Structure formats: structure tokens, C-alpha cells
């Protein structure tokens, strides 16, 4: 009787573990299915409304999942998976989730057949290592001297975006921006923090431009009639206030007669005049004034003195912008009036205010060379278009950065996934036992990418995948889905190429996520 009860208890525990795995797999597949229709150049966009009522339209996987409200722990793992791909490669955020969904589907079938989760996990790891080797075998080395190839690679990333029709402008712009901040001959990575993207509503996406210098959305302070245009600018980045000092604690000053009031106003006037004279003495003619929290950064009296001295003022510069500004202008921030020195000033050929359809911007051009920063003025006809343009530029910049990390290109259009799928099928025949079965299932799961691309383009996924299998079996390793013509083409001839890092990273991260889910056999709520 005890044996029967023990057996029943064991069966119950196993059933509970199976239920947890099934629940996790279903949650992961639900997230994958939600973004699957956004994959590829013919993928659909998603409209999301935030709690504040803001509307976002995008087909970027990372953005969709970041704003998606999910409660299941396994679903949150899929969201983190997309974030990881965004950090590592910057592109392929939808592909990685679709791949993970395909692998979870394969796992479900293998578990149903009675295979142990550890066996499946180990076999998937083996398959992933082989897949990485296959992809590297079909990759093409990239030459940074050939700018045209870099532009083709960036254009592929932009093809699936809302701004795809503007890729002829945005792709060269992204390449030029990254090449201006990093030297491919000496560096193996590009710090995208050295590229500042400034959004300005108005105009069209075609008005987006790269500026070797600085762009400010703040206006020039002209309340006291100061200069609006300054050639041969000598720029001071000031972090102290041009206003009367305040006491450190909450207190009040009681003035009992007019003489005391006159003396106070005179002292205040002399104090501010002295600060402005010290600034002018250094030869400075443009002041970038940091925003102050505790008191006014500058008073009307300060504005009056600066305009008298013919010094241009740009106020309310954010604290987090200071480092970027100093790096661009090759200057030092000045924290007190005593630290004002001519050698701490930055130089530029021109500082001017330019009118746009939605207000004005300040441009600083002709900065000292070599300048290891760049600014992109991002334009859009409405807020949603402007934000999507900014996201697309970020993805394009990340693609060029990926080429710095891994200097190889690989064809797009699901050609690598189909080649890996075919080669893994052949590889599974050399294995025995459960490994052979699991590697074959892994290979079949990769066919979800061409099937999804074909489905989103309105083609027959079964006939497309079947034809692709035949072509790859004949040795046409660059054959992929041409969604524009609705046929199968050589992706290299069609100039559809992407960084190797995007594909290898997506497959590795998706495999790791699925293996992690397989290892989970219980969900324990915590206090």
C-alpha cells in the first residue's frame, strides 16, 4: 500500500513539473506569436498605447516587448531575451524572439515523445555550436575601405522599418557617423554614446542630417538683445550661476530702511557685473550655461551685462550633456569664476540659431579636428514618425558597430537559417540516439524564419520552404526569400547582407533562453 502511495506521489510531482514546463513553453510561444507578424520588410507594424495615453507605432521587436504588459515569468524571459539582443547587436530583436518561439515548439514535441529535458538541452547546445561554425563558414570578410558594402548592410536593417523609403539617406548617414567617431584600423568597437541624436519635430525624414559639431534644441537667450550669430566663437562651458548667491539654509534677511535696500541692490549689481567681466576677460564670446536646480542660473541683470559685452548665451544646458559638449569642443567645464582661463575655452567656426517649422535650434559647426563625436538632427512630420525615425537610426548605427566587433557579413533573407538547417540535418545523421533526434528537431525549428518571411509577404510558406530546401541541397548556400519579387533569389546578388554578429548572437541567445526554460521544473512564489 505504501509503495502505491509513494508511486502516486512521484507521478504527481512529475505531472506538476510537466505542467510548469508546458505553461512556460505556452507563455514563450504566445510572446513569439505576438511579434512574429512584424518580421521582415513586409512585416506589419504594431500600435501601442501607454498608460499616459501616448501612442507608439513601430515594428521594432525590442520596442514592442518593452512596452508590452506581461506577467508570466517565462514571458518576461522572452522580453529580456529581446533586450539582450538589442544590447549585443542592436538589430535582429524580432528574429531572436521568433527563433526562440520555433525552438520552444520543437521542445514541446520532443517532451511529448518522452525525451528528458537535460538530453534536449545538451543536444541543443551541441547544435548551436555547430550552427555557429556553419554560419562562420558561409560569411564574407568586410573591407571598411569599401563604403558601398557598409551602406548595403545598413540598408538591409532599414528595409523593415517605417522609414524604409528613406534608407538611401539614412544608411550613408549612419555609416558616416560611426566612421567619424571610430577608426576601424585601430578599434574593435564603436562607442555610440559619442553620437548624439537630437529630435526636432517638423519637416520630413529627408531633412535628417549629420552635423560635425553640436546641435541644441534650446534657443539663444535674446531677452536683453544679445548677439544671434557668432563667427570665430570662443566657447565657455560654465557650471556656476550668474545670479546672486543664496544662503545655505532657509532664512530671511530683514531690511529696515531704503539705504540698506540700495546697498543690497548695488552689491548684487557689482557681484554679477564682476562675474561677467571675468568671463569677457578670457576672450569668451559664447557661454553655454548649465541648468541650475537650487536657484536661477542667470538673472535679467546677468543677461543685460552679457549683451552689453556682446557675449552670446545658451542657457539650461543639461548636466548629462556637459561631457559630450566638452569632448566635441575640446574644452574644460568651468565650475567657478576663479577657474576662468583662456585655455579652458572651446573654439568653433560658427555658432548660429536656425529657424525650423517647429521653433528654432542652435548649431555649432567648424569644431576642432580630430573630432571624435557626431550629432544627428532627427526630423519627422509628427511625434510618432520622429520617434520611429530615431529608433531606425539607432538600429542602423548598431549595425555598423556590429561590423566593428565581428568583421564579417552574411546574406539575409533567411539564407543563413536555411543553410544551417540543411547542414544540421546532415550532421544529425552522423549522431546516434537522442542527440540525433534533438539536433534534427533543432534544424527543423530554424525553418520558422523563412516560413514567417514568406507568410508576411503573402507567399505560400510551404512551397517557399520546400524550394529553399532543394536549392540549399544543391549547394546554393546564399539562396533566400526575396519578398519584393515574391521568389527565391541569391541574397548576395540582391545586396541583402547583414553583420554576422546579428545572426550568430540571435541564434545563441535564443538557444540559451530555451535551455534555461527547459531547466525550470517549478515556480515558487516569494514573499
Amino acid at each position: 500500500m505504501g509503495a502505491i502511495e509513494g508511486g502516486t506521489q512521484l507521478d504527481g510531482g512529475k505531472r506538476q513539473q510537466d505542467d510548469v514546463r508546458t505553461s512556460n513553453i505556452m507563455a514563450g510561444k504566445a510572446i513569439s506569436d505576438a511579434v512574429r507578424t512584424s518580421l521582415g520588410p513586409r512585416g506589419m507594424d504594431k500600435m501601442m498605447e501607454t498608460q499616459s495615453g501616448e501612442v507608439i507605432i513601430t515594428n521594432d521587436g525590442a520596442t514592442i516587448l518593452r512596452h508590452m504588459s506581461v506577467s508570466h515569468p517565462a514571458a518576461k524571459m522572452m522580453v529580456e531575451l529581446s533586450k539582450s539582443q538589442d544590447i549585443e547587436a542592436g538589430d535582429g530583436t524580432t528574429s531572436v524572439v521568433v527563433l526562440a518561439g520555433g525552438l520552444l515548439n520543437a521542445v514541446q514535441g520532443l517532451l511529448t515523445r518522452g525525451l528528458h529535458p537535460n538530453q534536449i538541452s545538451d543536444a541543443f547546445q551541441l547544435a548551436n555550436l555547430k550552427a555557429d561554425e556553419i554560419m562562420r563558414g558561409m560569411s564574407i570578410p568586410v573591407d571598411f575601405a569599401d563604403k558601398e558594402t557598409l551602406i548595403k548592410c545598413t540598408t538591409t536593417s532599414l528595409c523593415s522599418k517605417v522609414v524604409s523609403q528613406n534608407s538611401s539617406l539614412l544608411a550613408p548617414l549612419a555609416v558616416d557617423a560611426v566612421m567619424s567617431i571610430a577608426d576601424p584600423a585601430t578599434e574593435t568597437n564603436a562607442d555610440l554614446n559619442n553620437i548624439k541624436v537630437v529630435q526636432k519635430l517638423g519637416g520630413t525624414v529627408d531633412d535628417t542630417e549629420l552635423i560635425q559639431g553640436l546641435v541644441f534644441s534650446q534657443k539663444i537667450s535674446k531677452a536683453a538683445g544679445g548677439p544671434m550669430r557668432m563667427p570665430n566663437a570662443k566657447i565657455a562651458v560654465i557650471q556656476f550661476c550668474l545670479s546672486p548667491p543664496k544662503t545655505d539654509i532657509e532664512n530671511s534677511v530683514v531690511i529696515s530702511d531704503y539705504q540698506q535696500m540700495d546697498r543690497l541692490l548695488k552689491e548684487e549689481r557689482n557681484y554679477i557685473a564682476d562675474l561677467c567681466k571675468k568671463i569677457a576677460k578670457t576672450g569668451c564670446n559664447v557661454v553655454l550655461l548649465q541648468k541650475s536646480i537650487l536657484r536661477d542660473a542667470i538673472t535679467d541683470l546677468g543677461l543685460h551685462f552679457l549683451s552689453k559685452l556682446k557675449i552670446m548665451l545658451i542657457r539650461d544646458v543639461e548636466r548629462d550633456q556637459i561631457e559630450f559638449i566638452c569632448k566635441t569642443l575640446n574644452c574644460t567645464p568651468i565650475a567657478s569664476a576663479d577657474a576662468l582661463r583662456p585655455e579652458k575655452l572651446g573654439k568653433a567656426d560658427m555658432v548660429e540659431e536656425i529657424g525650423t517649422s517647429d521653433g528654432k535650434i542652435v548649431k555649432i559647426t567648424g569644431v576642432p579636428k580630430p573630432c571624435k563625436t557626431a550629432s544627428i538632427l532627427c526630423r519627422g512630420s509628427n511625434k510618432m514618425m520622429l520617434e520611429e525615425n530615431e529608433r531606425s537610426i539607432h538600429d542602423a548605427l548598431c549595425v555598423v558597430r556590429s561590423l566593428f566587433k565581428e568583421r564579417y557579413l552574411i546574406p539575409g533573407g533567411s539564407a543563413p537559417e536555411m543553410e544551417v538547417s540543411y547542414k544540421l540535418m546532415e550532421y544529425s545523421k552522423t549522431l546516434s540516439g537522442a542527440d540525433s533526434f534533438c539536433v534534427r528537431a533543432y534544424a527543423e525549428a530554424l525553418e520558422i524564419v523563412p516560413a514567417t518571411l514568406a507568410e508576411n509577404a503573402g507567399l505560400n510558406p510551404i512551397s517557399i520552404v520546400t524550394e529553399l530546401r532543394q536549392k540549399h541541397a544543391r549547394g546554393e548556400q546564399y539562396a533566400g526569400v526575396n519578398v519584393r519579387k515574391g521568389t527565391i533569389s541569391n541574397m548576395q546578388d540582391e545586396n541583402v547582407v547583414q553583420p554576422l554578429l546579428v545572426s550568430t548572437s540571435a541564434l545563441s541567445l535564443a538557444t540559451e533562453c530555451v535551455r534555461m526554460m527547459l531547466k525550470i521544473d517549478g515556480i515558487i512564489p516569494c514573499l
Side-chain angles (χ1 to χ4, degrees), residues 410-452:
I410 199 165
S414 76
E417 286 83 6
M418 273 312 297
E419 180 66 11
V420 168
S421 177
Y422 170 71
K423 291 275 177 74
L424 282 179
M425 289 273 197
E426 296 300 308
Y427 175 63
S428 68
K429 293 172 186 174
T430 65
L431 301 171
S432 58
D435 283 352
S436 173
F437 204 64
C438 294
V439 169
R440 186 177 181 82
Y442 185 96
E444 286 173 358
L446 298 184
E447 291 179 352
I448 192 170
V449 176
T452 304

Side-chain angles (χ1 to χ4, degrees), residues 180-350:
S180 68
I181 65 157
D183 182 9
T186 56
E187 295 176 61
T188 56
N189 199 357
D191 185 4
L192 296 186
N193 290 324
N194 290 334
I195 300 173
K196 186 185 172 193
V197 180
V198 178
Q199 296 183 24
K200 189 66 182 173
L201 193 65
T204 63
V205 176
D206 286 326
D207 297 327
T208 301
E209 60 178 315
L210 174 68
I211 296 155
Q212 293 297 337
L214 290 168
V215 184
F216 293 100
S217 52
Q218 296 97 323
K219 297 173 189 173
I220 292 171
S221 295
K222 46 185 177 285
M228 304 299 295
R229 190 171 183 273
M230 187 65 70
N232 300 318
K234 290 182 180 177
I235 304 163
V237 179
I238 290 178
Q239 294 183 297
F240 59 88
C241 296
L242 297 176
S243 58
K246 280 189 176 180
T247 51
D248 292 336
I249 54 173
E250 287 288 332
N251 57 16
S252 56
V253 177
V254 179
I255 296 171
S256 56
D257 59 32
Y258 288 111
Q259 283 183 331
Q260 287 178 334
M261 186 180 284
D262 287 345
R263 198 172 129 206
L264 183 72
L265 291 171
K266 190 179 177 183
E267 282 295 324
E268 190 177 301
R269 188 181 179 89
N270 290 340
Y271 175 78
I272 295 171
D274 185 46
L275 287 178
C276 292
K277 282 174 185 173
K278 281 182 179 179
I279 293 168
K281 195 177 176 183
T282 61
C284 166
N285 53 20
V286 177
V287 168
L288 300 179
L289 188 60
Q290 184 178 301
K291 198 174 189 177
S292 176
I293 302 166
L294 299 173
R295 59 186 167 124
D296 292 334
I298 189 166
T299 59
D300 289 343
L301 204 55
L303 287 170
H304 168 73
F305 285 130
L306 287 178
S307 67
K308 285 282 184 190
L309 294 164
K310 300 291 181 217
I311 296 173
M312 180 191 285
L313 173 69
I314 301 164
R315 63 198 291 185
D316 293 340
V317 176
E318 296 290 344
R319 186 185 292 271
D320 56 6
Q321 292 180 337
I322 297 293
E323 187 184 347
F324 182 84
I325 292 166
C326 292
K327 198 182 281 187
T328 306
L329 298 174
N330 195 20
C331 64
T332 310
I334 300 162
S336 71
D338 297 330
L340 282 160
R341 304 276 187 283
E343 58 270 17
K344 290 189 175 183
L345 303 183
K347 292 181 175 65
D349 292 346
M350 180 62 70

Side-chain angles (χ1 to χ4, degrees), residues 88-92 144 149-158 161 174-175 178 192 392-406 408-409 497-502:
E88 179 63 24
D91 196 18
F144 277 90
T149 305
L150 302 180
I151 291 170
K152 284 175 192 172
C153 190
T154 314
T155 304
T156 304
S157 164
L158 293 168
K161 310 293 180 192
V175 171
V178 178
L192 296 186
S392 302
I393 289 169
H394 172 262
D395 280 6
L397 294 170
C398 286
V399 164
V400 186
R401 186 190 64 183
S402 296
L403 290 172
F404 271 79
K405 290 181 178 178
E406 287 268 2
Y408 290 93
L409 290 171
V497 285
Q498 63 189 37
L500 173 66
L501 184 67
V502 172

Side-chain angles (χ1 to χ4, degrees), residues 32-273:
S32 175
D33 290 340
V35 297
R36 195 179 157 192
T37 52
S38 298
L39 185 70
R42 294 293 168 90
M44 306 302 276
D45 297 336
K46 304 288 182 195
M47 180 184 280
M48 294 163 289
E49 187 177 7
T50 62
Q51 289 180 339
S52 60
E54 184 189 355
V55 176
I56 299 164
I57 298 172
T58 184
N59 66 356
D60 179 59
T63 308
I64 294 167
L65 293 175
R66 188 165 63 248
H67 290 93
M68 193 183 281
S69 175
V70 291
S71 55
H72 197 285
K76 287 177 181 175
M77 284 174 72
M78 297 293 273
V79 174
E80 290 301 319
L81 169 67
S82 185
K83 278 186 193 172
S84 301
Q85 176 70 5
D86 197 31
I87 292 163
E88 179 63 24
D91 196 18
T93 51
T94 310
S95 305
V96 72
V97 178
V98 171
L99 277 169
L103 292 173
L104 285 172
N105 203 33
V107 164
Q108 197 171 21
L110 292 168
L111 289 172
T112 309
R113 288 178 171 84
L115 284 161
H116 194 275
N118 283 342
Q119 282 181 311
I120 301 168
S121 175
D122 293 344
F124 273 24
Q125 175 66 5
L126 182 70
N128 183 42
L129 291 171
K130 187 69 180 173
D132 192 86
E133 186 187 310
I134 294 162
M135 281 192 190
R136 289 183 188 281
M138 66 182 293
S139 61
I140 309 146
V142 65
D143 179 15
F144 277 90
D146 182 10
K147 189 181 171 185
E148 201 58 40
T149 305
L150 302 180
I151 291 170
K152 284 175 192 172
C153 190
T154 314
T155 304
T156 304
S157 164
L158 293 168
C159 274
S160 60
K161 310 293 180 192
V162 176
V163 295
S164 57
Q165 68 271 23
N166 305 97
S167 57
S168 57
L169 165 77
L170 299 179
L173 184 143
V175 171
D176 290 341
V178 178
M179 295 296 273
S180 68
I181 65 157
D183 182 9
T186 56
E187 295 176 61
T188 56
N189 199 357
D191 185 4
L192 296 186
N193 290 324
N194 290 334
I195 300 173
K196 186 185 172 193
V197 180
V198 178
Q199 296 183 24
K200 189 66 182 173
L201 193 65
T204 63
V205 176
D206 286 326
D207 297 327
T208 301
E209 60 178 315
L210 174 68
I211 296 155
Q212 293 297 337
L214 290 168
V215 184
F216 293 100
S217 52
Q218 296 97 323
K219 297 173 189 173
I220 292 171
S221 295
K222 46 185 177 285
M228 304 299 295
R229 190 171 183 273
M230 187 65 70
N232 300 318
K234 290 182 180 177
I235 304 163
V237 179
I238 290 178
Q239 294 183 297
F240 59 88
C241 296
L242 297 176
S243 58
K246 280 189 176 180
T247 51
D248 292 336
I249 54 173
E250 287 288 332
N251 57 16
S252 56
V253 177
V254 179
I255 296 171
S256 56
D257 59 32
Y258 288 111
Q259 283 183 331
Q260 287 178 334
M261 186 180 284
D262 287 345
R263 198 172 129 206
L264 183 72
L265 291 171
K266 190 179 177 183
E267 282 295 324
E268 190 177 301
R269 188 181 179 89
N270 290 340
Y271 175 78
I272 295 171

Side-chain angles (χ1 to χ4, degrees), residues 1-11:
M1 186 69 183
I4 294 169
E5 283 175 2
T8 310
Q9 197 174 352
L10 285 171
D11 288 346

